[in-house]
Structures are given as structure tokens and as C-alpha cells.
Amino acid sequence: MRTNPLQFPTQPCWLAGLSALLMSGGSMLAQDDDEKGRQFYAETVFPLLETRCFECHGGGEKLKGHFRITSREGLIRGGDYGSGIDTANPTESLVLEMVSYQDDEHQMPPKEKLSEAEIAVLTQWVEMGAPYDSSLEIKGEGTERRGFTLTDEDRDWWAYRALSGDAPPQVDDLDWSKNGIDSFVRAQLEREGLKPNPQAPPATLIRRLHYDLTGLPPTPAEVEAFVGACESDFDKAYSMLVEDLLARPQYGEKWARHWLDVVRYAESNGFERDNSKPHIWRYRDYVIDAFNNDKPYDQFLIEQLAGDEIAEPTMESLVATGYHRLMQWDDEPADRLQHVYDVLADNVQITSEVFLATSLGCARCHDHKADPISQKDFYSFMSFFHGVTHYQTAGTLMNWASPEEKSAFEEERKSQLDDLTRQRDEIKAQLTDYLTENNQMGAGKAKPVTFIDDSRGQGAVWAYTVSKPSDDWADVGYINKAWVKAAGGFGAGSHPKSKIHTKWDTKEIWMRANFGLKALPDSLSLEIYHDEDVEVYLNGTLIHQAKGFLKDYEVTPLPASAVDLLQTGKNVIAVHCRHGAGGQYIDLALRTSSAASSLSSILSGPSGKKIGKEIKSKTGADLAGAYQGVVADIAKWRRREQGIPLNVVTEKGPDPGPLNIHLRGSAHALGAEVSPGFPAVLSSADSDPLPASPAPVEYSGRVSSGRRLALAEWMVGGGKMLTARVMANRIWQHHFGRGIVPSSSDFGKLGEKPTHPELLDWLASQFIESDWDIKAMHRLMLHSRTYQLSSEPDSGNIASDPQNNNLWRFSMRRLTAEELRDTILAVSGKLNTELHGEWVYPPLPAEVLATASRPGKGWPVSKNEEDHYRRSLYVHVKRSLRHQMLADFDQADTDTACAVRFATTVPTQALTMLNSKFVNDQAALFAARMSEEGGSVRDQIAAGLALVFQREPQEEELDHLVELHDTLQRDIELSPEEALERLALLALNLNEFIYLD
């Protein structure tokens, strides 16, 4: 075995004892009926298990963890954490891991750790193959965990069946047979003995359509024109209005808001610091454009899940993958590895609920309690996302440019670098000559600058772990206090600074060391001596990879791309080394490639300023400053990227590595290994998920696994019946106020069943046949007589169907939070309808700002006042600090998917509408707008009510308000202007303004 310059602590002594036992040649394949094994169990193991283990895992009615250790059958079958014994690798058996007390997840028995002697007994028993004495076995009945199975009844659940393909039923009323939707609805109304409401008047329908498609009210002129056109040809006027609204850019803004709800869109990370997600607003604009451009839904789905893996990625498809970066992210988690998988689990939950209305998240810790979804299904689904790099505040950004732009930029970069390099070399020559002449460069014998030294020199301070860390372990910002620090040199014991004299005996090791830079060098080299496979990272990026052990130190000059990774201040070099057998050996140094590079170190050192002043004084030129400036410019041009920064998904490479089931959801308790697969109930004939074997995908120098693309293509291929049902139901929900399946993100047994299952299947079929055309679905629904019904009550129908489950009328609803704020701005005349762009910060009350996780920070009011009046869609969505008016009126929660918003009625809503500064300011502007109409007070009030109601006010309504205007002046002594402001505030609080019928 070779001498190891980097030596690390030994394993616990009981594992060392186990290693010795393995080397002694003890048989691992002893049979249960072997007399020696039976005797060892009966005399030594059984008394130990009976005393320390049987209470929880043997004799009671309930077995903790569903694990029985009183019989060999129970040991092999295992429980919630998997089989108790690994016959292929006995030393890795779960029963030994659980008694190790290595962390909180491995502490059995929980009351007190076994003694080392007791652990040694269990170790020897497991190493022998865990023989039992059959006369002492307690088999038990019906207490162990049962395996997951799928039944015909499971597969026959309505959501998992093939689409029925039934044609719309025949109905007697011709007006209800022109649209398939109406045929299904009228047939059910007749079965239930219900009579549908009459059609709503045109003035009601135009308001309904405007809000449903654009989220904004029609103007009085638009209402008047539509009502007039309906008198001559209703169908033509109605159809033209639908097409007009679908073509407006505000349509995309309105329907983007619905989508952003279900994907839990937010523009900050959450948790204590709640920093903003840079450039994530481009995802919001992508969604707006997708709806406005009528992007087919299958393409919309694929781009979000795998826009980087399609054949020819575009800037648009890459922006779409910001979908994977919308989650909460903790920049300082207590358990970094667990947090990595918490984020992946969140992605599984959102993806399965949004696109498949399947609550896979319920199977993270155990098989689903209601639906036919196993824990294996959950982790097989997670495997599709396993290659996704862990989110970092800036680490997920990439720049986009067209091939032409990139080519032009590279030409410019080369030209600039050539020119700067020439300047640097000229200045360097002058400086070197001067310093050499003055004996300040050791007469030309300067050595390369060392940033990280190896054990032949001064060594370095390394932090290391032999337990697999989270995926971001190599990044600069990674902090984990559990890593061991090894100070001083790492040479053999004879080295004068050596302090570590133990061994690294594990299969893998991860190491990190920091170094600081005041000036950036222009070259780097790596000197490394390693055992078997090694990976070296600089500031989180792989810079060197090699296989096989070396017999001596090897010098590897690093490319300019590695030099570009350096930064002034803190830098991190990280190493991952693996071995199969033999000596465990890893040592390295990081230095500049040549002595010339030391010039920067000299000028930035303690004497640098003095030397610079001397040179300037004697030569008349600031050569030192010029040299440092040109070196900094070279570094900037090397690091600079062309294009627009995007917050997108990236993957670690073509092979994400194995993923195991996490027992009880813990990343530290691994069960069986899984491969990518779709939920078994949706895909295969047996209970195993159908394996997916995607091919790796390469794009612009990046390689990903192709797994997400395989998943997306299955969703709109083999799984399209469920995908189509879900999206058709969502579109229906936002036109009719409630989905055909009211629990629109849960089509399982814990959700609600469809009120019109045949209609939903028909809509899903129409959706697929239209090539996933969302606007075609709008037209189909909006042209139905069902959508055009009046919302008026009917006492008989209400008694039979108070919830309107059978759609005998249109369901009235309150304006959403965004619609209400936007409409107030529209009525006051201040609404800024600018499309797209970065988020804005309208003013918030000091009392609201004081509730922030970091009071006074995180909400810099936009300097441009016009931005204060942008549509609510563009108001910054900060998880820890929400716009108070939007929050009061049930804005979607951003911590998880919001399939259906609440519609509460609480006192804070009335207080906001009456007392908030925003509403009162807008009421004053609204009153000023009424005054600009001229004429009498009655005429001004009439103009204002027309804006609020989107109809002509009645004479009785005007009489009341004119009288109130006079009363406010007479009894409260308000001026005419102030009285009009009070009337404007009153108008904004009327039910007819706030509710849509």
C-alpha cells in the first residue's frame, strides 16, 4: 500500500472490527440449517435480540416500521426501510446501519445504543448469513407490510380510462343542439327535472366576456356598440366580439395569471432572506406570449418541462424551462442534502398535479393512502428530474444569443483580447526589466505563484467528508459545518507540519479548500497525484477529470476557461476522489503556470503600492497601474458572455446517477434503486412503473439526460387522455367559475368526481383533435348557450340544485384581486397597459413594509410613477411580502400550486375598499375624471356610473346620488369636489362593480 499524503479519520472501531472479520475469511453464505449457525443464534444472538429488539419488532400486535426481526422471513422481507439484510454485501445490511447511531435516522434501539460488544455479535451474525434456530423463530401473522398491488378496479377509475368517444346526446330543443356542450348539459338538466335560465342580455354578456378573456371592463362606448349590433344580428356581433377579445394582448395577460397560479409563480426564493430570482420575470412573459400566440398546449407543456432538450432550442423554449426554478429555495438549509430532494419532490408534486391532476406528492414517504400510486411510482417519477442542477441565486443563469450574434461577439472578443494581450506583454516587459534591474524579481528567477500547496510544501487547510453531500457541494457559497477540517500539511508522518495521521478508508471522499485573490493571474496549472478516479472543480465548475491512479505528481496546464473562473476575493477548489481497492491517495497543488504570472502578485502584494510609485517616479509612467488595468480588462473579456441573461434549467450531464427510494422521505435512508418511469396505473400491465430509456441530448456545449423530454412527450402521447382532460377542465373552470371536476388538480379518489363526465371526455377529445388549440376551446365554450345563460335565481331550481352543479344558470362571481385593482385603475383613468417587462414595485403602506422578513428591505418603490399603475400581473410577487390589497382579496398562495382560489368575505376587504390610501387616491382621480365630463352634477355622476357599471344608470340611481351629493355639502359642509370624491368612493364599493354576473 502506498504512503498517503492526505490522511483522514478512521471509521468507527466496530466497523474496523468488521473489516478485520471480513479479512479473516469467515463464510458469508452459511446456511440456516448449519449447526454452528443455529447454535450461535440460540446461545448468543437470540438473547440479545429478545432483550433489545423484540419489544418493537417481534412480539406485539403492531410491528414498528412493519419490521419483524424474530424470523428470518421477516428479516429478509424487511419493513418501511427495506430488507433488513443485504446477502450480497452483508456489511451494508440495514440492520447494521440502524444500530450504528451514525445520524438521527440510524438510532436503534432508540432508547440506548448497543454496546460495541453487542454490535460485534450482530455483525458476526449478519456476516454468517443471519442463521436462525427454527425452534425459536416467531413468524407472526398479518403484521408485516403488504406489497403494493394494482387491481382492475384501480385501473377502471374514471380518470385513468381511455376517452369514451361518445357523441353528444340528442335533445329536443334545437337551440340546445347546435353546440355539443349544450347537448350534454341540457340532457342532464332534463334528467334532473331542471329548466335552464334564459339567455343573459347583451350588456351583461359583453361585461362577462371582457372580464373572462381580458380581465378588464369594457368601455361605455364598447357596450353601446355591441348592444346596438346585437339588435340586428346577435350571433354575428357575439362572434366578432369573441374574436376581438381573443386577439387583444390583454387576453394573454389574463390567462397567464390563471396558469401562474397553478405553477406557484413567484419572483423570490422565500425563507428568511427571500431574495429575488433574477430574470425569472421572463417566464411570466413567455406564458403571456404563449396564450396570445395560441401556442398549442402540447408544445407549451413540452417547452416548460424540457425546452432545452428539444431538437432546436430557442430563446423562448429555454425561458420556458424557468418553470423548474419557481420553487422556494433555502440558501442556508439545516440539512443541505435533504433540501436538494425537497426541491425535487416539490417539482414532482407540481408537475404531477398541474399536468396530470394526480397527487403523486402523497406517495413521497409511503404508498398513497387512497389512489393507486406507490412510493416507487413517486421516485421513478422523480428520476426524470434527478439530473437537474440544484438552484443557485446566480448559478442557473445563462446567456442567449443567436448564432450570428455569437459569431460576431467571438470575433470582437478575439480582437479585443489580441490587442489587450499585446498591451499587457509590452507593459510586462518594461516592468520585468525594471524589477530585474532593481533586484525585485530575484534577477529573473521568480517562481510560479502557489494558491493551494501540496504536501511537499506548506500544505493547505482542507474540509472534507466521506458521506455523499448535496449536489452543490463544490460551489463557492456551500457551507456545511458537519465537514471535518484538516489543518496544516498533509504529508507523511515525517513532515514537520503534518498533523493528521489517520486513514481514509472509504470508497469516496469530497474535499474543499479556500484561497483568496487580490489580483487575477493569466495562467494556471494543476499538480496532482491521485488514486483511481478524480474530479477537480474550481468555483463550482469541473476543470479536471481523470481515471486510474498515478505513480507520481503530474503537472496539467489548465485552459483559459479555467482562469476565467477565478475571481478577486474568495475562491474554492473542490475534489471528488473514488477508489475500488488499494491505497487511498489524493494530493494536489494549484499554481500559476509560469514565473511571469507572479508579476501580478508582486504588484498586489504588501510592497506593490511602493513599487508602483517608484516606477512612476523614475519612468514618468504608471506602468503598474496600466498593467493591472489591462490584466483586469483581459479577465473581463474572457468572462464576458454575449446575449440576454435567462434563468433556466440545466442538467449535470448525460447520466444523473442512481436514485433510490427515500424511506419515509428521508434522503439519508435509502431503499431500492429506481429508474425513470411513469405511474404504473397509467402505463403498464403490472405494478412496476414503465421504464423510460431516453437518449442524452446535447445543445450548445451542454449535455442533459433527455429524461424530461421523454416525460413530456409521454404526457402528450401515451398519457394524453389524462393530460387533455386536465387542461380542458381548467379552461372550463375559468369560464364557468368551477371545473367539471371541481378539484381541478386532483382527479383521484380524494378529489371530487366530475359533474358531467361524458362532457369532459368529449371536450378532451375535441381538444386533442384540434391539435391542442386553446383558443379553439375558448370559442367552443363561449359560443355555447350554457355560457350565455342569465345568472338570475330560480326558486325551484335553487331548491333542487342550490350549488348549480347541473349548470341551469351562469354562476355569479366576485372579481379576482387583480381584476379589482386593475378595474379601479381603469375607471380612474390611470391604468398603464404596457405589455411585458421587469416586475414593478408600487408604493405599500409603512405598516405592510414593517411585516417583511427583513423590515425596510426588499421593496424599493419604482422610481417611474407610471410603473405604479401597471397591471397587477406585473407587481413583484415576493413570497414574504405581498401587496396588501391583492392579498386581502385572495390572491393565489405562492408556496404551492393554487388550483382554485378562495373567495372569502372578511372585514379587511371592506376596510381596504373604504380606507386604504390606494383606493382613496384612485377615487379622487375618478372624481376628477367625472368632473372633466362637464355639464351638471347629475351628468357627471351619470358618466361615472356608466364607467363603474358598464351600462347606462337608471334615473332612480341618479336621483339617490344627486341627493347624497347635496346632503354631503349641506350637512357635512364638504365642497362640491370633496362630495364628488365621496360619491366616487361609494361607487367603487358597490356590489355591481365588484361582482360579475
Side-chain angles (χ1 to χ4, degrees):
M1 181 178 290
R2 291 169 289 159
T3 302
N4 182 7
L6 297 191
Q7 297 176 322
F8 300 89
T10 58
Q11 297 166 321
C13 59
W14 65 272
L15 277 180
L18 177 59
S19 298
L21 188 66
L22 285 172
M23 295 177 65
S24 70
S27 172
M28 295 190 301
L29 301 175
Q31 300 297 316
D32 286 349
D33 60 351
D34 179 79
E35 183 59 34
K36 181 179 178 181
R38 287 200 307 270
Q39 183 178 356
F40 182 68
Y41 177 79
E43 297 177 359
T44 308
V45 179
F46 180 80
L48 169 61
L49 296 180
E50 184 178 37
T51 303
R52 305 301 298 271
C53 306
F54 280 12
E55 180 181 355
C56 296
H57 301 290
E61 289 296 322
K62 280 191 172 182
L63 292 179
K64 290 193 175 180
H66 301 97
F67 177 53
R68 174 177 292 281
I69 202 171
T70 58
S71 70
R72 195 166 197 282
E73 180 185 356
L75 179 73
I76 294 173
R77 180 188 295 114
D80 294 343
Y81 283 68
S83 176
I85 185 171
D86 184 338
T87 55
N89 299 288
T91 61
E92 297 180 9
S93 293
L94 180 62
V95 70
L96 295 181
E97 287 185 28
M98 296 306 295
V99 300
S100 69
Y101 268 64
Q102 63 191 35
D103 54 45
D104 291 343
E105 297 291 336
H106 301 85
Q107 294 188 0
M108 290 292 155
K111 294 180 181 179
E112 181 184 9
K113 183 182 178 182
L114 298 178
S115 68
E116 291 189 10
E118 289 172 322
I119 291 175
V121 167
L122 288 183
T123 300
Q124 183 178 353
W125 176 58
V126 170
E127 183 267 342
M128 294 171 66
Y132 277 79
D133 183 332
S134 59
S135 66
L136 295 175
E137 284 190 89
I138 305 171
K139 303 252 175 145
E141 294 182 5
T143 51
E144 288 87 355
R145 183 183 60 161
R146 298 181 182 278
F148 175 80
T149 58
L150 283 173
T151 66
D152 291 340
E153 182 181 358
D154 291 331
R155 295 185 180 281
D156 196 44
W157 182 250
W158 68 266
Y160 310 142
R161 299 176 199 152
L163 297 174
S164 65
D166 293 342
Q170 296 294 320
V171 293
D172 295 334
D173 191 330
L174 293 179
D175 288 337
W176 284 80
S177 61
K178 298 175 183 178
N179 184 307
I181 292 172
D182 295 331
S183 297
F184 282 106
V185 171
R186 187 57 187 268
Q188 184 156 316
L189 288 172
E190 290 175 354
R191 287 195 299 271
E192 298 295 327
L194 299 169
K195 184 178 181 181
N197 267 9
Q199 189 179 70
T204 297
L205 291 176
I206 185 174
R207 187 169 187 258
R208 186 183 297 174
L209 284 171
H210 267 259
Y211 275 111
D212 279 5
L213 290 179
T214 71
L216 293 171
T219 65
E222 288 174 322
V223 174
E224 182 179 1
F226 177 70
V227 171
C230 287
E231 292 177 357
S232 57
D233 190 335
F234 172 82
D235 289 340
K236 180 180 179 181
Y238 187 88
S239 180
M240 290 178 63
L241 176 61
V242 169
E243 295 305 315
D244 174 34
L245 296 175
L246 287 174
R248 294 188 186 187
Q250 290 76 29
Y251 156 74
E253 293 176 317
K254 164 65 177 177
W255 279 78
R257 182 64 267 170
H258 294 316
W259 185 258
L260 297 177
D261 278 7
V262 296
V263 296
R264 45 85 171 95
Y265 175 79
E267 295 160 344
S268 69
N269 294 325
F271 295 94
E272 181 181 0
R273 276 179 281 274
D274 199 20
N275 292 322
S276 298
K277 293 181 182 290
H279 302 285
I280 200 64
W281 56 267
R282 298 188 196 279
Y283 173 82
R284 175 245 291 150
D285 286 356
Y286 161 81
V287 177
I288 294 171
D289 290 340
F291 280 103
N292 276 335
N293 297 331
D294 201 16
K295 186 185 291 289
Y297 181 67
D298 57 343
Q299 183 181 348
F300 183 57
L301 182 156
I302 289 171
E303 287 179 350
Q304 290 179 82
L305 290 182
D308 58 321
E309 295 185 329
I310 61 177
E312 296 182 6
T314 63
M315 176 180 168
E316 188 177 31
S317 73
L318 291 173
V319 169
T321 67
Y323 164 86
H324 296 281
R325 303 307 191 187
L326 299 177
M327 71 293 148
Q328 295 183 82
W329 176 69
D330 189 354
D331 59 352
E332 197 175 21
D335 186 335
R336 299 187 74 92
L337 179 63
Q338 186 65 43
H339 184 54
V340 168
Y341 287 98
D342 287 345
V343 171
L344 286 177
D346 178 64
N347 209 350
V348 170
Q349 178 179 337
I350 297 302
T351 301
S352 62
E353 290 181 3
V354 168
F355 297 109
L356 301 174
T358 301
S359 54
L360 277 181
C362 295
R364 182 183 182 186
C365 302
H366 48 69
D367 295 343
H368 202 295
K369 297 298 185 183
D371 295 333
I373 304 293
S374 68
Q375 192 180 20
K376 183 177 182 181
D377 283 333
F378 177 89
Y379 287 97
S380 296
F381 202 87
M382 181 184 281
S383 291
F384 288 111
F385 307 106
H386 193 216
V388 172
T389 53
H390 192 53
Y391 178 82
Q392 295 289 316
T393 299
T396 57
L397 297 182
M398 68 168 287
N399 281 41
W400 165 266
S402 68
E404 295 77 18
E405 290 171 329
K406 288 181 179 178
S407 177
F409 173 73
E410 290 304 326
E411 288 183 13
E412 182 185 8
R413 188 209 298 271
K414 184 179 184 303
S415 174
Q416 290 285 348
L417 287 175
D418 288 346
D419 185 51
L420 289 168
T421 301
R422 179 184 54 77
Q423 294 179 44
R424 182 200 62 191
D425 292 344
E426 291 175 357
I427 301 171
K428 182 193 296 183
Q430 298 177 59
L431 283 169
T432 303
D433 288 344
Y434 178 87
L435 294 172
T436 301
E437 290 172 3
N438 289 273
N439 295 319
Q440 290 171 306
M441 283 197 74
K445 296 180 181 179
K447 296 180 179 180
V449 178
T450 297
F451 305 122
I452 295 289
D453 205 357
D454 57 46
S455 62
R456 298 171 298 178
Q458 297 299 310
V461 177
W462 290 90
Y464 66 92
T465 181
V466 293
S467 299
K468 184 177 180 181
S470 59
D471 290 345
D472 59 335
W473 70 277
D475 294 338
V476 176
Y478 181 84
I479 298 175
N480 192 324
K481 296 179 180 178
W483 284 47
V484 180
K485 278 196 172 182
F490 285 85
S494 59
H495 193 282
K497 289 184 177 290
S498 179
K499 296 182 181 180
I500 309 298
H501 299 285
T502 51
K503 293 181 179 180
W504 161 42
D505 286 333
T506 57
K507 290 185 177 180
E508 297 181 81
I509 190 168
W510 292 262
M511 303 157 44
R512 290 167 52 88
N514 302 331
F515 63 94
L517 289 178
K518 291 183 178 179
L520 300 174
D522 54 21
S523 64
L524 279 178
S525 66
L526 183 72
E527 296 183 35
I528 190 166
Y529 192 171
H530 64 82
D531 183 68
E532 299 204 24
D533 301 347
V534 67
E535 298 165 348
V536 182
Y537 298 83
L538 181 58
N539 290 339
T541 299
L542 184 67
I543 59 169
H544 180 73
Q545 189 172 18
K547 291 182 178 294
F549 65 83
L550 299 177
K551 295 183 178 180
D552 202 349
Y553 287 87
E554 181 179 86
V555 179
T556 302
L558 296 174
S561 58
V563 181
D564 292 344
L565 298 170
L566 293 172
Q567 56 194 13
T568 55
K570 180 181 177 181
N571 294 266
V572 171
I573 188 164
V575 182
H576 177 208
C577 195
R578 295 181 289 270
H579 79 91
Q584 296 80 49
Y585 192 101
I586 175 67
D587 194 16
L588 62 82
L590 184 69
R591 319 183 198 278
T592 56
S593 295
S594 64
S597 301
S598 65
L599 187 59
S600 293
S601 179
I602 292 172
L603 296 177
S604 62
S607 303
K609 289 185 178 180
K610 181 180 178 182
I611 293 172
K613 288 180 179 179
E614 288 179 3
I615 295 172
K616 185 175 182 180
S617 174
K618 293 183 179 181
T619 65
D622 185 11
L623 294 177
Y627 178 78
Q628 290 174 318
V630 75
V631 167
D633 288 342
I634 288 172
K636 288 178 182 177
W637 272 101
R638 283 176 173 170
R639 195 174 287 113
R640 186 175 168 186
E641 290 188 63
Q642 170 67 13
I644 300 169
L646 312 177
N647 199 332
V648 300
V649 74
T650 55
E651 285 207 6
K652 292 173 285 190
D655 182 12
L659 178 66
N660 296 76
I661 291 174
H662 292 176
L663 305 173
R664 295 188 177 179
S666 171
H668 303 286
L670 303 183
E673 187 174 315
V674 296
S675 59
F678 316 118
V681 72
L682 298 175
S683 57
S684 63
D686 54 33
S687 61
D688 288 329
L690 181 68
S693 302
V697 177
E698 183 173 359
Y699 166 70
S700 189
R702 301 167 185 260
V703 181
S704 66
S705 64
R707 292 181 174 186
R708 289 174 286 111
L709 181 60
L711 172 63
E713 289 179 338
W714 172 80
M715 284 184 175
V716 295
K720 66 182 177 182
M721 77 287 186
L722 184 53
T723 304
R725 280 188 181 110
V726 172
M727 189 56 180
N729 187 68
R730 292 197 192 282
I731 299 171
W732 181 278
Q733 171 188 340
H734 296 301
H735 283 313
F736 292 88
R738 180 177 57 196
I740 295 173
V741 183
S743 54
S744 50
S745 283
D746 188 355
F747 282 15
K749 294 180 181 179
L750 297 179
E752 299 181 64
K753 290 186 177 181
T755 57
H756 298 73
E758 297 84 3
L759 170 57
L760 181 58
D761 272 17
W762 184 78
L763 288 171
S765 297
Q766 296 295 305
F767 194 26
I768 295 171
E769 290 175 12
S770 72
D771 292 328
W772 306 90
D773 189 330
I774 293 174
K775 285 190 177 182
M777 294 302 292
H778 287 309
R779 295 184 184 99
L780 180 62
M781 294 178 190
L782 297 176
H783 282 85
S784 70
R785 190 174 182 87
T786 305
Y787 177 81
Q788 298 169 11
L789 293 177
S790 163
S791 64
E792 293 297 319
D794 179 279
S795 58
N797 286 349
I798 288 177
S800 300
D801 183 15
Q803 298 298 320
N804 192 31
N805 289 327
N806 295 291
L807 302 171
W808 56 268
R809 66 167 174 169
F810 186 84
S811 295
M812 179 185 291
R813 69 172 176 86
R814 192 187 66 203
L815 299 184
T816 65
E818 293 84 356
E819 288 171 337
L820 182 56
R821 178 179 175 274
D822 294 350
T823 302
I824 290 173
L825 290 170
V827 167
S828 73
K830 293 297 290 183
L831 181 64
N832 178 355
T833 57
E834 179 185 348
L835 197 70
H836 296 149
E838 294 190 48
W839 55 69
V840 297
Y841 296 94
L844 290 179
E847 296 81 1
V848 174
L849 294 173
T851 66
S853 59
R854 292 187 291 170
K857 296 183 179 180
W859 199 270
V861 175
S862 298
K863 295 180 180 179
N864 182 3
E865 187 177 352
E866 290 302 308
D867 286 341
H868 301 173
Y869 309 120
R870 294 286 304 276
R871 289 195 71 173
S872 301
L873 182 70
Y874 300 103
V875 173
H876 183 47
V877 185
K878 189 175 181 65
R879 284 188 158 104
S880 65
L881 184 65
R882 300 169 67 189
H883 188 288
Q884 91 286 351
M885 180 177 182
L886 300 178
D888 287 344
F889 282 91
D890 307 312
Q891 183 187 33
D893 177 41
T894 57
D895 289 346
T896 188
C898 179
V900 181
R901 290 194 182 188
F902 293 111
T904 62
T905 302
V906 294
T908 50
Q909 294 166 352
L911 294 172
T912 293
M913 292 299 293
L914 285 171
N915 299 329
S916 71
K917 185 177 187 301
F918 170 77
V919 177
N920 277 270
D921 287 349
Q922 297 308 307
L925 292 168
F926 179 28
R929 185 179 182 185
M930 287 192 281
S931 296
E932 292 171 1
E933 294 291 328
S936 65
V937 170
R938 188 181 187 90
D939 292 337
Q940 294 173 19
I941 294 173
L945 289 183
L947 287 168
V948 168
F949 293 155
Q950 292 100 54
R951 64 168 174 80
E952 288 299 317
Q954 300 172 6
E955 291 299 319
E956 184 180 8
E957 293 168 336
L958 293 175
D959 291 341
H960 281 301
L961 291 183
V962 170
E963 182 180 349
L964 177 58
H965 187 269
D966 293 341
T967 301
L968 291 171
Q969 295 179 77
R970 181 181 63 251
D971 295 350
I972 308 180
E973 299 182 353
L974 297 181
S975 67
E977 293 77 15
E978 291 172 330
L980 195 59
E981 288 180 12
R982 297 296 192 279
L983 292 185
L985 182 63
L986 170 64
L988 296 179
N989 278 270
L990 294 172
N991 278 347
E992 191 172 344
F993 173 70
I994 296 174
Y995 283 84
L996 180 69
D997 60 13

